Amino acid sequence: MNERHITGLTASKGPKRSRRQLTRQLRNNLEGMLLVIPALLLITIFAIIPMIYALFSSVYDVSLYTGTEFVGFENYQRVLHDTVFWSTFKTAFRYMLYVIPASLLLAFMLANLMIRIPKKAAGIFKASIYIPNVISGVITSVIFIFIYDYDSGLANVLLEKIGIKRIGWVTDTKYAMLAVAIPAIWMSLGGTTLIMLSGLNDIPTVYYEAASIDGANAFQQLYKITLPSMRNVFIYLLVTSIVGSMQVFELPNLITHGGPLYSTTTPNLHIYTHFINDTSLGYTVAASLVIFLLLAGLTAVIFRLISSEKSME
Amino acid sequence: MKQNKLLKLLYLTLSAIVVLISLAPLIWMLMTGFKEKTEVYRVPFSFFPDNFSNLANYSKVLTHKNFPNSMLTTLLGASISTTCCLIINAMAAYGFARIDFKGKKLLWAYCLLPMFIPSIAILIPSYVVVHKMGMLNTMAVLIIPGVAQTGHIFYLRQYFLGIPLSLEEAVQIDGGNRVQALIHVFIPMSAAPFVIVGFGAFVGYWNQYLWPLLTISKTKLYPIMQQLAFFRTERNIHYGVQMAGSFLAAVPPIMLFMFFQRFIVKGIKISGLKG
Amino acid sequence: MRKAVALFLTIALLLVCIPNAFAARTTIIFWHYPQDEYSDAWWEEWIEEYNNSQNEVYVELEWVPMDGWNVKLKGAQAAGTAPDIYGMPLADAGRNVTNGTVLAFDEYVDPAIWEDLTDVARQYTYINGSYWSFPRYLEPSAMLLWRKDLFEAAGLDPEMPPTTWDELIETGKKLKTDTCWGLHIPTNEADIGWTTWGMQYGLSGSLALNDDWSKSRMSELEGYHQLANFFNDVYWANIAPEQAIYGYGSIDALCENRCAMLMTGSWSLATVLIDYPEMVDKIGVSHFPTPDGSYDHATASMGGYCVLMDKLTEHPQECADFLVWMFTRDPAVMYDFFERSHFSKFSPWKSVESMIAQADTYSINPWLETVMDTVIPYSIPEPIYPWEVTYAFGRAVNRILLEGYDAEEALRIADDEVNKYIENFGLAGQNLKN
């Protein structure tokens, strides 16, 4: 992005700076600082400082009741030796497998559906699938807990209507992850679909017109025009979904409580559970920092892959 | 032509089905709000309540001594939070997008840091910080920490960078200064992203649960999600009441969305990602 | 004119002084989570009474939502904003003593008040030579409730509940219909673990951990095997929903014809008496069945609630005074609570017990005799070891049901998990119970 500025000061670098230019620079500095300082101050107080405190407390056994003592890397060792901790990554990965392909596919199909219906209907459509986005995770959990009721919940009633045996959504290891994935997809589908839609709308219709003149059928058009043009959108959605999935916590906490048998214990939920059961903060903070490092590393790797692919074009 | 019409009908029907499925859980929530305890537990199942005018659950929620107060308090807090959020984040985004000042690159990198900080790691440390600042049990603790959001600043900056400079330069040529450029050109052009950021801020404030749970202990300050939690008791679980309360709590964000719907739906896209 | 000015000044002075008088009051913060309507009302009314009865101390009762309780308390303890006093289950007194987060009451009360404690209650509060909590009530955690009318409809004797596990399952099969389950038992891991504490002990002679908390021995104890297999048998008999209806001991399920027999604690009796009075004649109560039908060993644990004092409180004396006022000064205060509970809960204080004994409790709570004769005498106090041990047993049961392990293997895995936890958190030697 080309960052030109109204005052156009970037040009002159020579020794002969006029006084007007100097005061303009000073004014710029002042204005710029004034504008960004409030936000940066708030970020410092409520994000950076707590982070530093967290780092500090991870090498101590902090307790106002039993006294704080330096424990070095003991907390980190406890975390790294905890098999349940590592299994939460597998759980997060399973969660991603359940949620991401389904969301992306559904969003793509729905976006394609949206551009093929009249504008008014499309408006209603867009609005109604976005509404679940504004419902809080807590309320969603409450609704779905009831939906999953064994005998009188919507889910099992529908299953029985089509002849399938009732499922213990919350108590069966086979289905607990599904029980969490469904509300997750439901909540985020609106936003994902609208982004897909904007990606589709960005594709010039002339491409399609030219293709049909050349005799390409719908499937070929999809394959040769739509998908490649949507590549960046897919990548953006994939990356944001992966990063988001790693942080999932509210739904598995309220709906399945991380069970049964840890099958829905995501990394953040594991940390949360430890926090409410442990005597000191150490494990909690050490574990969150480990996850943070892993996640940052994962994101960096993904970006590397993507940018290397991009440069290959 | 007939095939076209048939196809169009098919698409419309499919769309209608998707809309229904999408709204089904919310409709279910609404229906359950009208049911007596016995109806809720009844087997065989009935989707619709026996009596649509059974307002027992809704009135239990609305006459609860703190529920209306909680709704109003949350509304007030959300409005203040949204306003502050818009002002502070837009200011910062404008500064980063339009002004060349000393240390800008460094400060921008600093601004991006919070995106990488895991929220659960700083939950308790943030709580310690606000406690030391004496903010516990005040409206401030719900509003102030959430105002500066890297995500919003990033999004706004991205949008601002995309606004052609020529428009502001035109104002300058006509003899106006930067402030006038801002008011007459820049801000009107940014209506859509402002709505999106504002809406996001409102909903973010409205739906928060864990932070208020930790920082607020006084009944009259409970935000709505925390107040709702009191309907989920250890024993005596009445889904009818829970659903009625949840529905009422979900109404304001939904209404706000319906009002701004066109802006929001249009504005959700990623700029600069064209293939 | 002068009179008016004098009057005005007097009023102004009074207005200035009165708030000051209140400002001089010490405030004690008291956290509790809502339990039952009558219980919450009892707290609010008596605390208001206390606040009105004197001018030195103001007790501020702050309600905390139940599902946020743990995180809020832990957060407050981490930041130093914990309340002065808070309500917790009885066994948590012991857990918090181990954690070092509570303050003993010894220095702040007349030691004579503790003589009024029943022996069971004393076991919860007297740890390592000090008294750490004011117990409020006790209640057994697991009994069997059944619908007499549904028994009749199925051709069974409504006054004869099953007494052995085999009978329970057979009866469940006979009672099960298309719309009503035969039996309702806990299905999530936490509930499976804690509701069976009594049976765990009753069938094994001891609980999961050894005396000094250095080793977990579930796989060596007969009772744990039997219990695990019991849950398995019930699961495959298909007489109980594999996913509990609205949580453990949901009396609503029983009263709304969703199940014919229910495993629940004595708190449910209050719900029936208050919310479903028309069901009182149709419901029978007995101890929970045992493998061989005898009930002279534990089938339930005696849980309950108490009030603890935070170690960092700045007003320990005021807290102690308030709690003494509530619990031991006048038995009428606690008696009011038990009356509101329709005598479904039991008193840890002897003086209140005798007051209750004089009331016409058997006509208010028709099941009281059964509970007092067959359940309470054999109930054990809840264990105070960390929750992880209890969850491990729940997980072991789930392994058998969902993953097809056999009891031996599942319990061995549970032992491994707990032993690892013991090692990680240095539990050995931490058992404070004398």
Side-chain angles (χ1 to χ4, degrees):
Chain A
M1 271 291 160
N2 210 0
E3 290 183 25
R4 288 167 57 224
H5 311 282
I6 294 187
T7 49
L9 202 54
T10 45
S12 55
K13 278 196 181 147
K16 260 205 190 155
R17 284 192 181 181
S18 72
R19 269 189 87 199
R20 242 175 116 224
Q21 282 174 331
L22 267 171
T23 34
R24 212 181 276 157
Q25 178 66 68
L26 276 171
R27 228 186 66 201
N28 269 359
N29 284 350
L30 194 64
E31 282 176 352
M33 287 298 229
L34 277 178
L35 283 174
V36 306
I37 289 240
L40 290 180
L41 191 66
L42 287 170
I43 285 177
T44 308
I45 300 177
F46 297 109
I48 307 293
I49 290 182
M51 187 62 180
I52 297 175
Y53 177 74
L55 277 164
F56 164 82
S57 62
S58 71
V59 288
Y60 283 80
D61 185 11
V62 183
S63 166
L64 292 162
Y65 295 84
T66 54
T68 302
E69 52 169 302
F70 183 74
V71 292
F73 286 111
E74 189 179 302
N75 290 324
Y76 288 94
Q77 279 178 341
R78 237 191 250 168
V79 170
L80 296 173
H81 285 147
D82 185 0
T83 40
V84 180
F85 175 75
W86 293 110
S87 75
T88 61
F89 288 98
K90 251 198 305 173
T91 311
F93 188 64
R94 264 180 74 219
Y95 176 84
M96 288 186 220
L97 278 180
Y98 273 74
V99 171
I100 299 182
S103 309
L104 293 181
L105 192 64
L106 273 172
F108 185 72
M109 293 192 322
L110 292 183
N112 274 299
L113 191 55
M114 274 180 195
I115 57 180
R116 286 174 169 78
I117 59 176
K119 260 215 160 116
K120 257 209 166 145
I124 299 177
F125 194 174
K126 290 181 211 171
S128 28
I129 70 164
Y130 193 76
I131 288 183
N133 244 33
V134 312
I135 310 283
S136 89
V138 176
I139 293 186
T140 306
S141 303
V142 171
I143 300 178
F144 274 86
I145 290 174
F146 187 36
I147 289 181
Y148 293 139
D149 180 70
Y150 198 63
D151 290 331
S152 40
L154 208 50
N156 277 346
V157 166
L158 288 174
L159 283 182
E160 288 206 300
K161 276 215 153 63
I162 58 179
I164 302 182
K165 203 170 97 80
R166 279 178 282 197
I167 293 181
W169 291 96
V170 160
T171 49
D172 196 338
T173 42
K174 291 198 289 289
Y175 301 106
M177 183 54 89
L178 190 62
V180 171
I182 293 177
I185 298 176
W186 180 74
M187 276 176 80
S188 62
L189 196 58
T192 315
T193 307
L194 290 178
I195 292 182
M196 285 278 190
L197 183 66
S198 81
L200 280 179
N201 280 335
D202 279 343
I203 305 175
T205 36
V206 287
Y207 287 8
Y208 293 109
E209 287 166 9
S212 25
I213 290 175
D214 282 352
N217 65 24
F219 185 68
Q220 285 170 317
Q221 288 181 18
L222 176 76
Y223 194 63
K224 285 270 158 73
I225 301 175
T226 318
L227 291 182
S229 312
M230 294 281 286
R231 202 171 142 265
N232 279 344
V233 174
F234 278 119
I235 291 175
Y236 170 80
L237 287 172
L238 191 65
V239 172
T240 46
S241 307
I242 291 180
V243 173
S245 299
M246 277 296 283
Q247 321 235 18
V248 168
F249 148 77
E250 215 165 30
L251 288 175
N253 183 31
L254 292 171
I255 299 181
T256 55
H257 311 292
L261 290 177
Y262 295 125
S263 57
T264 56
T265 302
T266 55
N268 275 4
L269 180 57
H270 179 64
I271 296 178
Y272 180 83
T273 312
H274 259 275
F275 170 63
I276 62 182
N277 286 323
D278 284 358
T279 40
S280 76
L281 267 184
Y283 183 99
T284 309
V285 179
S288 9
L289 291 178
V290 172
I291 292 182
F292 159 57
L293 285 172
L294 288 171
L295 190 61
L298 181 69
T299 320
V301 165
I302 294 181
F303 271 117
R304 261 281 162 77
L305 283 173
I306 294 173
S307 42
S308 65
E309 269 192 45
K310 244 188 171 160
S311 58
M312 272 205 261
E313 282 211 326
Chain B
M1 270 302 108
K2 220 179 184 178
Q3 229 197 13
N4 242 3
K5 267 211 167 145
L6 212 67
L7 217 57
K8 268 229 158 88
L9 197 65
L10 178 69
Y11 291 147
L12 272 173
T13 318
L14 274 174
S15 307
I17 294 178
V18 174
V19 166
L20 220 65
I21 295 179
S22 201
L23 296 178
L26 300 173
I27 302 176
W28 175 233
M29 175 171 65
L30 180 63
M31 294 292 121
T32 311
F34 293 113
K35 291 184 182 172
E36 291 287 330
K37 210 181 206 182
T38 321
E39 290 174 62
V40 169
Y41 285 79
R42 182 191 301 153
V43 172
F45 168 89
S46 61
F47 187 84
F48 296 105
D50 288 346
N51 187 3
F52 271 97
S53 53
N54 178 12
L55 295 173
N57 296 331
Y58 282 101
S59 68
K60 183 156 188 202
V61 172
L62 288 169
T63 54
H64 182 278
K65 58 184 169 193
N66 199 48
F67 192 86
N69 171 56
S70 184
M71 288 283 267
L72 288 173
T73 311
T74 318
L75 205 63
L76 182 68
S79 313
I80 299 177
S81 177
T82 304
T83 316
C84 294
C85 190
L86 274 172
I87 296 177
I88 293 191
N89 289 332
M91 270 168 53
Y94 184 75
F96 281 121
R98 278 287 188 266
I99 303 181
D100 188 23
F101 55 93
K102 208 168 185 187
K104 171 173 159 175
K105 280 222 168 87
L106 199 67
L107 287 178
W108 177 240
Y110 184 73
C111 189
L112 288 177
L113 276 179
M115 264 184 159
F116 299 98
I117 298 179
S119 56
I120 205 154
I122 59 168
L123 184 66
I124 297 302
S126 311
Y127 178 61
V128 175
V129 167
V130 299
H131 163 55
K132 291 267 184 326
M133 291 176 75
M135 285 207 296
L136 286 185
N137 275 318
T138 59
M139 283 291 270
V141 80
L142 296 175
I143 297 175
I144 299 181
V147 162
Q149 294 284 341
T150 304
H152 288 158
I153 301 178
F154 191 95
Y155 174 75
L156 286 173
R157 173 181 174 273
Q158 201 71 4
Y159 185 83
F160 291 166
L161 288 172
I163 295 183
L165 270 167
S166 45
L167 296 166
E168 288 165 84
E169 282 172 349
V171 175
Q172 280 219 309
I173 291 172
D174 282 350
N177 64 15
R178 170 175 280 142
V179 179
Q180 284 177 321
L182 257 171
I183 298 176
H184 293 281
V185 174
F186 204 78
I187 291 182
M189 275 209 74
S190 314
F194 280 173
V195 165
I196 290 187
V197 167
F199 179 73
F202 187 93
V203 171
Y205 183 94
W206 189 268
N207 288 341
Q208 55 176 347
Y209 177 55
L210 200 52
W211 183 247
L213 183 68
L214 278 177
T215 55
I216 304 286
S217 306
K218 302 261 181 276
T219 308
K220 56 178 160 54
L221 287 173
Y222 288 157
I224 192 64
M225 291 302 149
Q226 193 174 359
Q227 182 61 51
L228 263 186
F230 285 102
F231 290 120
R232 298 195 291 274
T233 54
E234 199 174 10
R235 316 264 158 74
N236 275 336
I237 303 165
H238 187 357
Y239 269 115
V241 174
Q242 271 187 47
M243 292 296 143
S246 302
F247 185 79
L248 290 173
V251 161
I254 294 180
M255 275 175 42
L256 196 70
F257 171 71
M258 299 306 288
F259 191 71
F260 285 111
Q261 175 219 110
R262 269 211 231 124
F263 277 114
I264 296 172
V265 162
K266 238 198 225 165
I268 293 181
K269 56 170 148 200
I270 337 157
S271 51
L273 275 189
K274 295 209 178 153
Chain C
M1 181 61 197
R2 247 188 248 166
K3 266 197 185 165
V5 173
L7 189 62
F8 173 73
L9 282 174
T10 321
I11 294 179
L13 210 62
L14 278 172
L15 283 173
V16 169
C17 287
I18 290 176
N20 276 343
F22 279 156
R25 285 177 100 169
T26 317
T27 307
I28 302 178
I29 308 280
F30 179 23
W31 281 4
H32 216 294
Y33 56 81
Q35 292 183 285
D36 301 285
E37 270 182 57
Y38 66 82
S39 178
D40 302 343
W42 176 82
W43 273 121
E44 297 213 336
E45 288 168 32
W46 282 104
I47 289 181
E48 191 178 341
E49 176 82 22
Y50 180 71
N51 287 334
N52 289 339
S53 74
Q54 42 79 40
N55 264 330
E56 288 85 42
V57 179
Y58 185 79
V59 175
E60 176 124 26
L61 176 61
E62 287 178 356
W63 293 110
V64 178
M66 185 204 77
D67 58 17
W69 173 263
N70 275 324
V71 84
K72 187 166 177 118
L73 185 64
K74 271 287 150 72
Q77 287 174 333
T81 58
D84 296 287
I85 45 176
Y86 49 96
M88 285 284 250
L90 283 170
D92 276 311
R95 288 198 192 90
N96 282 316
V97 173
T98 321
N99 289 345
T101 52
V102 288
L103 190 61
F105 285 101
D106 297 343
E107 294 172 40
Y108 309 101
V109 301
D110 174 4
I113 64 168
W114 306 117
E115 285 161 30
D116 195 28
L117 280 174
T118 62
D119 290 331
V120 180
R122 186 185 312 259
Q123 281 190 304
Y124 278 117
T125 169
Y126 183 68
I127 303 172
N128 259 8
S130 296
Y131 288 90
W132 299 87
S133 72
F134 273 83
R136 182 156 63 107
Y137 66 83
L138 295 153
E139 60 191 356
S141 62
M143 308 183 303
L144 184 71
L145 267 62
W146 76 92
R147 286 282 297 275
K148 296 185 184 175
D149 51 338
L150 297 179
F151 264 53
E152 267 177 356
L156 300 162
D157 183 345
E159 303 299 331
M160 296 281 292
T163 51
T164 71
W165 284 353
D166 288 336
E167 267 177 46
L168 181 66
I169 294 179
E170 284 313 308
T171 314
K173 287 186 188 161
K174 293 197 190 115
L175 290 165
K176 177 164 183 240
T177 69
D178 281 339
T179 57
C180 178
W181 293 96
L183 176 65
H184 188 275
I185 54 169
T187 59
N188 86 45
E189 290 157 5
D191 289 341
I192 292 175
W194 75 267
T195 57
T196 53
W197 276 332
M199 287 192 270
Q200 290 169 25
Y201 182 86
L203 298 171
S204 317
S206 71
L207 287 168
L209 294 187
N210 63 359
D211 276 334
D212 69 352
W213 287 6
S214 58
K215 190 159 146 334
S216 169
R217 327 160 283 180
M218 289 183 262
S219 52
E220 301 162 25
L221 294 169
E222 181 58 29
Y224 285 84
H225 284 257
Q226 286 180 300
L227 268 171
N229 285 323
F230 169 67
F231 276 100
N232 200 30
D233 294 338
V234 172
Y235 183 79
W236 289 107
N238 208 26
I239 52 174
E242 65 180 287
Q243 181 176 300
I245 302 170
Y246 313 132
Y248 171 63
S250 158
I251 189 65
D252 297 302
L254 189 70
C255 295
E256 302 280 356
N257 308 322
R258 297 286 304 280
C259 65
M261 294 191 288
L262 175 71
M263 176 181 170
T264 184
S266 75
W267 56 81
S268 291
L269 303 179
T271 313
V272 179
L273 291 164
I274 297 174
D275 290 341
Y276 292 101
E278 73 279 7
M279 285 281 164
V280 173
D281 293 329
K282 302 187 192 160
I283 291 182
V285 171
S286 84
H287 61 90
F288 197 77
T290 52
D292 60 357
S294 65
Y295 63 81
D296 56 359
H297 47 259
T299 54
S301 54
M302 281 295 266
Y305 273 75
C306 64
V307 181
L308 300 170
M309 184 160 65
D310 186 70
K311 187 157 164 216
L312 299 179
T313 177
E314 294 173 2
H315 313 289
Q317 188 61 57
E318 288 85 344
C319 293
D321 292 341
F322 163 64
L323 292 172
V324 164
W325 189 93
M326 286 290 287
F327 291 101
T328 65
R329 172 193 57 103
D330 179 0
V333 180
M334 289 294 336
Y335 177 81
D336 180 29
F337 172 75
F338 290 109
E339 195 180 27
R340 295 186 200 216
S341 80
H342 293 256
F343 304 108
S344 60
K345 300 196 196 290
F346 303 90
S347 170
W349 304 98
K350 291 193 267 210
S351 56
V352 183
E353 237 183 0
S354 22
M355 210 169 161
I356 293 176
Q358 292 171 18
D360 191 12
T361 53
Y362 290 166
S363 63
I364 294 175
N365 179 349
W367 309 288
L368 192 57
E369 194 166 6
T370 314
V371 178
M372 292 194 67
D373 287 345
T374 65
V375 182
I376 295 193
Y378 308 105
S379 301
I380 58 154
E382 293 182 340
I384 63 168
Y385 47 61
W387 278 99
E388 181 61 24
V389 186
T390 307
Y391 296 151
F393 177 63
R395 284 198 295 271
V397 171
N398 256 353
R399 275 199 194 92
I400 302 173
L401 302 184
L402 303 173
E403 318 249 297
Y405 283 73
D406 68 35
E408 176 68 44
E409 228 182 317
L411 289 171
R412 242 188 333 99
I413 297 178
D415 279 337
D416 285 340
E417 286 177 345
V418 176
N419 284 329
K420 202 145 185 223
Y421 183 85
I422 290 175
E423 199 189 310
N424 249 348
F425 289 93
L427 279 187
Q430 298 258 3
N431 188 1
L432 294 170
K433 277 300 192 56
N434 12 317

